Amino acid sequence: MKKDLAALGGNVVKADRNVVSLSPSHISLDRSKTSGATYLEGLDLQLLDCEGFEDWLREKRSENELLDEQSQSKIYTSAHLSSSSLRPMALGFLPTIHAGLNSAELVRTNSVLDSIARSVSQTTELDIHDMRGFDVESVHLPIETGTGPTHLLQPLSEHRDGRLQVSLRLREAGSQRIVWVSEPVDAFHTSSEDQAAVATETLLEHLATCRVSSDAPDLFPWTAITALFSLNDELIRRTEEQIERMIEAGAPKVFECLRLFAQVFKENEGVEMAPCITPETLCELISEVPNANPMLPLWQSLAGYSAHMLLGENDLAEQFLEGSYARAPTLALNLDHLAVLRMMRGDLNGAEAAFQRCQKVGASSPWRYTYDVTGSMLAMARGDYRTSLMFANRALMRKPRFIGALRYAMAGFALIENQKDALRMHSRIRSLRPDYDMGGWTESMSRRTPRNLSTALVASFQRSGIV
């Protein structure tokens, strides 16, 4: 087969000792040229115990004939998913839930998921979206199709009786309903490949019984936010273009919240300034989302962030963010901004309590490095500059190109009079964003922090030659 298909490229055929398959990422089907062809024409096994295969072959040929009768294949987005009775199933991998595991133990836990991903990709055509964070290379997100994972797999890892015990939870992405929990395994004393083989078989058995209806919650917002936090300029551009296309194609008006989030995000990262919006428009976008919509908390969270960052409407921002938390804490992505709002009002104890709540809710979030930046800001406001640096450095370990983390690392070093490292952080920001407005950020930071901190910050920046 490899010889016959060599003209198509060396990666078309995938094979190991158990499976021979075609790589879905390297081939596509032009259905207009298959009319009249028989599915797997010529493949008929007249062998003992092959009745099941023959039944499957007849079923696939019947399906193929129905598809040939259609004039064209369609690519579905959130604007017209309802025209299909079922949505394609896709699997997302979430970060490990754990308490105090070291890096080696997390690597062992991740190796179990890596093996499952490899096994699933070799035996099925399921799309797999890796959402585990900074230390795992992410696959390309499905920005063009407008759909995200329909099911989420998350490991829970803990020390128990001298073992590193790992269990897997499979959830429906929209409802968050748990549909399967694996038997716990010892990640240190069992082959990850052996674990993956057993777990994959059981996982696929459960997925085979699941059906994802066309009116299931569209998870495009989640994939779009992940794309923005990738800090990849090209992916951000593609995401914005897809948002525009979906709105023009009839997507709900609330998708404007994604557009606003992208604009605020770009302004924060020093890419470009965001245009103005009115509080009334923001409220109108959220009011059009039914209370029963499972994505409402996510929209509220994005709206709260925009109200604070774009408009300075902090009371409105707090209402949105608290409403998001009350409905679904894990979708309150910008919960850390409640801590910022309370800090701005001089309530440092309230800010700390809000931050601790955010840290607990977002412990497994792939965007938790943004919460570390908020922790850095709060510690700085208390005058604890070394703790502020600890949070900033933690964020940089998770996302080395994150301008927000670099800014607070720079500020922390300047405040403890370490001018060399402060200038090193400043140089890093300039290399990533040559036109970054450092004076503008310093002025904004001064407005959002206690007076004693803003005075000390400006003075330390001036001594270091940063502004």
Side-chain angles (χ1 to χ4, degrees):
M1 288 181 68
K2 285 188 173 182
K3 180 186 289 187
D4 291 342
L5 298 176
L8 301 180
N11 297 320
V12 172
V13 176
K14 297 168 60 178
D16 58 29
R17 63 183 180 180
N18 298 314
V19 177
V20 177
S21 64
L22 297 176
S23 174
S25 60
H26 289 83
I27 62 171
S28 60
L29 177 63
D30 185 351
R31 194 163 295 284
S32 64
K33 297 181 179 179
T34 63
S35 180
T38 300
Y39 189 83
L40 294 181
E41 187 171 354
L43 183 58
D44 295 282
L45 302 183
Q46 303 299 325
L47 300 174
L48 188 64
D49 297 329
C50 280
E51 292 83 1
F53 178 76
E54 290 295 318
D55 291 342
W56 173 83
L57 204 52
R58 279 192 293 273
E59 179 182 338
K60 296 301 289 186
R61 285 172 175 168
S62 176
E63 291 175 2
N64 203 57
E65 288 172 4
L66 289 175
L67 288 172
D68 281 339
E69 293 174 2
Q70 298 177 356
S71 60
Q72 61 179 18
S73 297
K74 294 182 179 179
I75 298 176
Y76 293 101
T77 68
S78 65
H80 49 270
L81 279 171
S82 59
S83 61
S84 172
S85 60
L86 292 176
R87 280 178 58 185
M89 206 169 286
L91 186 62
F93 286 177
L94 292 177
T96 301
I97 299 175
H98 71 95
L101 296 190
N102 60 37
S103 58
E105 291 163 340
L106 282 174
V107 166
R108 289 295 298 181
T109 301
N110 272 325
S111 71
V112 176
L113 278 188
D114 289 339
S115 298
I116 291 174
R118 189 161 47 249
S119 182
V120 169
S121 65
Q122 289 174 346
T123 56
T124 75
E125 294 186 0
L126 281 177
D127 282 337
I128 299 175
H129 309 302
D130 198 331
M131 309 164 81
R132 284 178 286 177
F134 76 100
D135 53 353
V136 179
E137 184 178 356
S138 295
V139 299
H140 293 296
L141 292 165
I143 299 304
E144 278 74 23
T145 59
T147 55
T150 58
H151 293 77
L152 301 169
L153 189 67
Q154 184 166 45
L156 186 150
S157 190
E158 60 181 336
H159 291 289
R160 179 172 293 183
D161 301 327
R163 305 191 312 158
L164 179 60
Q165 184 169 289
V166 178
S167 59
L168 303 168
R169 296 176 178 179
L170 180 69
R171 297 176 182 269
E172 290 178 343
S175 67
Q176 292 294 302
R177 183 173 68 93
I178 295 178
V179 295
W180 172 65
V181 178
S182 74
E183 292 291 331
V185 296
D186 185 357
F188 266 133
H189 300 105
T190 310
S191 164
S192 61
E193 295 295 336
D194 292 342
Q195 295 172 25
V198 175
T200 301
E201 184 176 346
T202 311
L203 170 67
L204 293 178
E205 284 178 2
H206 282 273
L207 285 176
T209 65
C210 299
R211 294 291 183 269
V212 185
S213 65
S214 61
D215 58 356
D218 176 28
L219 293 183
F220 174 77
W222 197 345
T223 62
I225 293 166
T226 306
L228 294 174
F229 278 119
S230 72
L231 306 186
N232 181 307
D233 290 350
E234 173 62 19
L235 191 52
I236 291 173
R237 182 191 64 77
R238 287 170 49 211
T239 303
E240 287 190 293
E241 290 176 353
Q242 174 63 8
I243 293 170
E244 295 284 352
R245 286 195 296 269
M246 294 174 79
I247 292 174
E248 290 174 2
K253 287 183 180 179
V254 75
F255 270 53
E256 290 280 354
C257 288
L258 273 177
R259 194 199 323 243
L260 293 173
F261 186 80
Q263 291 166 351
V264 178
F265 186 88
K266 291 200 298 184
E267 181 175 331
N268 261 6
E269 290 297 292
V271 179
E272 65 181 47
M273 298 297 291
C276 295
I277 184 176
T278 66
E280 291 76 17
T281 301
L282 203 56
C283 291
E284 182 181 345
L285 293 175
I286 298 302
S287 68
E288 293 184 352
V289 183
N291 287 334
N293 189 316
M295 287 290 108
L296 175 58
L298 180 63
W299 297 124
Q300 289 177 308
S301 185
L302 296 179
Y305 184 75
S306 300
H308 168 59
M309 297 298 294
L310 277 181
L311 304 173
E313 293 282 346
N314 294 337
D315 291 341
L316 179 61
E318 186 161 4
Q319 288 180 30
F320 279 139
L321 294 170
E322 287 288 10
S324 175
Y325 175 78
R327 280 189 165 89
T330 55
L331 290 180
L333 304 183
N334 301 302
L335 194 59
D336 59 316
H337 274 263
L338 284 173
V340 177
L341 295 175
R342 289 168 190 174
M343 181 196 70
M344 292 175 65
R345 294 167 179 155
D347 181 10
L348 291 183
N349 290 334
E352 181 63 28
F355 176 66
Q356 292 301 328
R357 181 174 66 170
C358 173
Q359 287 286 89
K360 181 178 180 180
V361 169
S364 298
S365 168
W367 306 295
R368 62 194 180 279
Y369 59 86
T370 63
Y371 308 150
D372 289 332
V373 171
T374 299
S376 180
M377 180 191 295
L378 294 182
M380 195 174 289
R382 295 195 308 269
D384 187 352
Y385 301 146
R386 296 195 179 277
T387 298
S388 175
L389 272 172
M390 182 271 291
F391 275 115
N393 285 330
R394 181 186 294 174
L396 285 174
M397 289 176 65
R398 290 171 171 159
K399 206 71 170 179
R401 298 176 62 248
F402 191 37
I403 298 293
L406 288 165
R407 288 191 307 236
Y408 282 97
M410 175 187 67
F413 283 127
L415 287 165
I416 64 172
E417 303 297 333
N418 183 342
Q419 295 185 359
K420 179 181 177 181
D421 284 329
L423 290 173
R424 186 164 58 87
M425 296 294 105
H426 181 254
S427 176
R428 176 67 173 151
I429 292 172
R430 289 295 189 195
S431 68
L432 291 171
R433 302 290 180 204
D435 299 326
Y436 191 79
D437 183 5
M438 191 61 65
W441 174 76
T442 304
E443 181 181 348
S444 173
M445 177 71 173
S446 298
R447 291 196 304 268
R448 300 166 67 200
T449 53
R451 181 177 295 276
N452 61 329
L453 172 59
S454 62
T455 301
L457 188 64
V458 171
S460 63
F461 278 179
Q462 289 174 341
R463 286 194 299 272
S464 300
I466 292 172
V467 294

